[in-house]
């Protein structure tokens, strides 16, 4: 159950996905040339983009009227969801890097928050798979953050940004520089692996207990219910951690500090 979605109701897709893979279209995996390429996360990434677009268009109707846009929504709605999420993201970023820098980088972090959070939540819906449970999805988001904070560091401080990699002691600068380079290179890896691992595990737990309930009681929806609440917590925490660490990396890159 954990590895199957409504896409597997399409015989041709299921045979290709769980058989030879899609290597003939996408090529062999870079990290594992002998492995097979799957496309489930690609399809659900497309579904996620469509979902976000529809929700954004619904929420945008409120902001077409200036007077109405200033009035907070008093009930649960699409607009209320975005307002609560964006307010939390902005508050977190302001505490880390100041209000001015937070406003500058808010579009990036807020976009990641919406994309990752809704992508995580897709895994709680029967027949869907979270696109964030695939390493390619998490790595793509992490690489964007990596490029943004390094480019922003150079734009903000010029070549002085290199001093962040050398430490306060000149004698140890070469050693610290190598250590810092390795640490920065692994930041995208740690961001993506953490997100992928947790979302894969969460999705597998729901699938395993769903299979157990189906085999024992023929009611696959009963036992996983408590785990849905646990899954909701995991989805929220993982989106928060990704955005929090991304904000910290940006804040560290643009801060002015004497070494």
């Amino acid at each position: 159950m954990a590895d199957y979605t409504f896409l597997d109701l399409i015989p041709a897709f299921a045979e290709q996905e769980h058989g030879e893979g899609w290597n003939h279209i996408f090529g062999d995996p870079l990290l594992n040339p002998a492995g097979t390429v799957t496309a489930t996360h690609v399809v659900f990434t497309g579904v996620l983009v469509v979902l976000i677009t529809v929700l954004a268009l619904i929420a945008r109707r409120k902001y077409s009227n200036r007077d109405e846009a200033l009035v907070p929504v008093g009930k649960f709605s699409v607009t209320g969801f975005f307002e609560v999420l964006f307010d939390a993201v902005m508050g977190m970023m302001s505490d880390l890097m100041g209000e001015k820098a937070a406003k500058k980088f808010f579009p990036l972090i807020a976009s990641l928050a919406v994309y990752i959070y809704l992508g995580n939540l897709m895994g709680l819906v029967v027949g869907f798979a979270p696109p964030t449970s695939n390493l390619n999805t998490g790595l793509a988001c992490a690489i964007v953050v990596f490029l943004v904070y390094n480019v922003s560091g150079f734009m903000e401080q010029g070549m002085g940004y290199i001093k962040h990699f050398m430490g306060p002691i000149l004698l140890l600068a070469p050693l610290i520089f190598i250590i810092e380079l390795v640490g920065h290179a692994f930041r995208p890896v740690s961001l993506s692996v953490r997100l992928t691992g947790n979302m894969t595990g969460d999705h597998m737990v729901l699938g395993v207990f769903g299979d157990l309930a189906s085999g024992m009681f023929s009611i696959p929806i009963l036992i996983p219910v408590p785990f849905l609440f646990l899954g909701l917590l995991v989805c929220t925490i993982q989106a928060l951690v990704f955005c929090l660490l991304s904000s910290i990396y940006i804040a560290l890159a643009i801060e002015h500090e004497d070494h």
Side-chain angles (χ1 to χ4, degrees):
M1 180 176 177
D3 297 326
Y4 291 87
T5 67
F6 70 82
L7 294 175
D8 294 299
L9 298 177
I10 307 173
F13 182 90
E15 181 179 356
Q16 196 71 37
E17 181 77 1
H18 301 287
E20 299 178 357
W22 303 88
N23 299 50
H24 60 290
I25 297 178
F26 299 105
D28 296 329
L30 294 177
L31 299 179
N32 183 20
T36 57
V37 174
T38 58
T40 296
H41 74 285
V42 176
V43 176
F44 283 106
T45 297
V47 173
L48 176 59
V49 171
V50 172
L51 174 63
I52 293 175
T53 302
V54 172
L55 294 178
L57 291 175
I58 294 174
R60 186 178 181 273
R61 291 186 301 178
K62 175 186 176 182
Y63 300 105
S64 60
N65 186 310
R66 177 186 290 269
D67 294 332
E68 184 181 350
L70 295 176
V71 180
V73 179
K75 60 181 180 179
F76 179 80
S77 64
V78 173
T79 306
F81 167 77
F82 282 119
E83 288 181 351
V84 170
L85 181 61
F86 290 162
D87 184 64
V89 171
M90 187 63 186
M92 175 194 69
M93 294 179 67
S94 297
D95 292 339
L96 290 172
M97 62 183 71
E99 186 174 351
K100 182 179 179 180
K103 290 181 178 179
K104 180 179 179 180
F105 294 99
F106 176 77
L108 170 65
I109 303 301
S111 298
L112 287 172
V114 172
Y115 180 81
I116 293 174
Y117 191 42
L118 292 180
N120 292 349
L121 292 178
M122 286 179 64
L124 303 181
V125 181
V126 177
F128 283 71
T132 48
S133 66
N134 188 282
L135 183 61
N136 295 288
T137 303
L139 192 58
C141 295
I143 289 176
V144 170
V145 173
F146 177 79
L147 294 175
V148 167
Y149 84 73
N150 279 294
V151 171
S152 299
F154 279 109
M155 292 179 63
E156 184 73 21
Q157 304 184 53
M159 295 307 296
Y161 177 60
I162 300 296
K163 293 181 180 179
H164 283 267
F165 295 81
M166 295 184 176
I169 303 176
L170 184 61
L171 184 63
L172 297 177
L175 177 61
I176 299 299
F177 183 75
I178 296 176
I179 295 175
E180 286 291 328
L181 283 181
V182 174
H184 280 257
F186 271 92
R187 282 181 178 180
V189 177
S190 64
L191 279 175
S192 54
V193 169
R194 181 186 297 107
L195 177 62
T196 301
N198 282 281
M199 295 318 303
T200 300
D202 178 62
H203 192 59
M204 288 182 63
V205 166
L206 291 175
V208 168
F209 279 92
D211 288 339
L212 179 63
S214 179
M216 295 178 62
F217 309 107
S218 299
I219 41 176
I221 204 66
L222 182 60
I223 289 184
V225 168
F227 294 95
L228 289 175
F229 292 99
L230 178 62
L232 178 61
L233 180 62
V234 172
C235 293
T236 304
I237 291 176
Q238 291 309 310
L240 172 63
V241 168
F242 194 101
C243 294
L244 176 62
L245 291 177
S246 299
S247 299
I248 290 175
Y249 295 156
I250 294 174
L252 291 175
I254 64 175
E255 72 174 354
H256 292 275
E257 182 178 350
D258 293 331
H259 291 279

